[in-house]
Amino acid sequence: MARIARIQTAAGPRHALEQPDGRLMLIEGDLFGAWRATDEVAPADAVRLAPVLPPTIYCIGLNYRKHAEETGAAIPKYPVLFIKAQAALHHPEQPILIPTHAPSHKVDYECELAVVIGRPAKNVRAADALDYVLGYTCANDVSARDWQMEWGGGQFCRGKSFDTFCPLGPVLVTADDIPNPNALDIRTVLNGQVVQSANTSDMIFDVPTLIEFLSADCTLEPGSVILTGTPSGVGAARKPPLWMQPGDEVRVEIDGIGVLRNPLAAS
């Protein structure tokens, strides 16, 4: 059982074990192999980074039943897969940048449970899938809906991959502390108002099924992140639509993991 943060130190990024009192004890070793917490305490003002640096960010669209209902979409037969660019990775507390050069006027929030793969996974059966999970964290699949739905050439990647459009954090909670990832309350809070509230039990394809599907003939490398979809309540489905603006603050909250908080600013 562990809550692991990644922080910026003078020597570069380091992982640290979060203590119940909030202190961060620096870790030695390989997070994906053998590691241990040292007696060295990180500075109280250490800047938190995304808990992992993923080689690939896999994303699942339309994976909550109530979200499919609010969009009028049919329940998919197979998981809807797209990938975010690694440059979209972002950190807790740091501003999500709303693009102005290739401008978007429809920037949406999407709270998501993120799964972090702990060892190479290929052709994994659903029954064994959770054995390949290192842990879980909060994610915000920030989406420029105009670029996603209107100007993306029929693909999602452009509207999903602007810089800073994939905040992760604040910690990685190891898998032994979350025996059932499909029994977690999840919500988005925008400027103090709850705009999404659900439970991961509403997923169409649960976490083991997603790992089985994604690992079929394709190796999931250690550190790979799977964003498992967003519940109902997205800004695009509201009447009128609710878009994020510079000066806003958005929080993704998952019970048992924590709160991923980001302000918004114009780039």
Side-chain angles (χ1 to χ4, degrees):
M1 180 186 302
R3 296 176 59 84
I4 299 171
R6 183 167 162 264
I7 60 173
Q8 184 65 50
T9 72
R14 292 280 300 274
H15 282 103
L17 186 63
E18 185 179 77
Q19 304 298 303
D21 61 6
R23 290 180 305 148
L24 296 172
M25 312 301 293
L26 294 180
I27 285 173
E28 286 184 346
D30 179 7
L31 193 62
F32 301 97
W35 61 270
R36 70 174 188 89
T38 70
D39 294 330
E40 186 178 355
V41 181
D45 60 352
V47 175
R48 291 196 183 226
L49 305 173
V52 292
L53 185 62
T56 308
I57 304 170
Y58 299 94
C59 306
I60 306 298
L62 208 65
N63 197 33
Y64 280 72
R65 294 184 183 278
K66 291 182 180 177
H67 178 47
E69 291 172 5
E70 74 176 352
T71 62
I75 299 298
K77 184 177 180 180
Y78 302 103
V80 178
L81 173 64
F82 60 94
I83 293 176
K84 277 183 178 273
Q86 193 181 68
L89 182 71
H90 202 36
H91 313 293
E93 306 294 340
Q94 297 190 24
I96 296 167
L97 301 178
I98 295 179
T100 55
H101 183 73
S104 174
H105 305 289
K106 298 180 180 180
V107 176
D108 209 344
Y109 50 82
E110 290 193 13
C111 62
E112 305 207 11
L113 173 68
V115 180
V116 180
I117 297 298
R119 58 191 177 99
K122 183 176 180 180
N123 298 331
V124 172
R125 297 182 307 163
D128 303 321
L130 296 186
D131 295 339
Y132 291 80
V133 175
L134 177 65
Y136 305 91
T137 191
C138 302
N140 194 340
D141 178 18
V142 182
S143 305
R145 299 295 190 195
D146 33 21
W147 284 96
Q148 176 191 354
M149 308 304 292
E150 302 169 40
W151 309 325
Q155 299 293 321
F156 283 6
C157 293
R158 176 66 168 172
K160 298 280 192 171
S161 288
F162 286 113
D163 291 353
T164 75
F165 270 30
C166 189
L168 297 179
V171 294
L172 171 75
V173 177
T174 52
D176 56 352
D177 203 26
I178 300 180
N180 183 3
N182 285 103
L184 303 174
D185 287 336
I186 181 171
R187 67 194 68 87
T188 298
V189 181
L190 180 63
N191 299 327
Q193 175 188 358
V194 177
V195 290
Q196 290 182 285
S197 182
N199 188 280
T200 55
S201 62
D202 190 45
M203 285 186 193
I204 297 165
F205 305 102
D206 64 12
V207 171
T209 300
L210 291 176
I211 293 172
E212 179 179 65
F213 176 81
L214 293 172
S215 71
D217 300 312
C218 299
T219 302
L220 305 182
E221 298 291 346
S224 296
V225 168
I226 304 170
L227 271 57
T228 55
T230 198
S232 60
V234 296
R238 291 174 174 267
K239 301 186 186 311
L242 177 63
W243 308 121
M244 296 192 293
Q245 306 292 336
D248 287 349
E249 180 193 78
V250 62
R251 304 198 311 264
V252 171
E253 303 177 355
I254 303 179
D255 289 357
I257 298 178
V259 178
L260 171 63
R261 179 184 296 104
N262 296 95
L264 285 100
S267 64

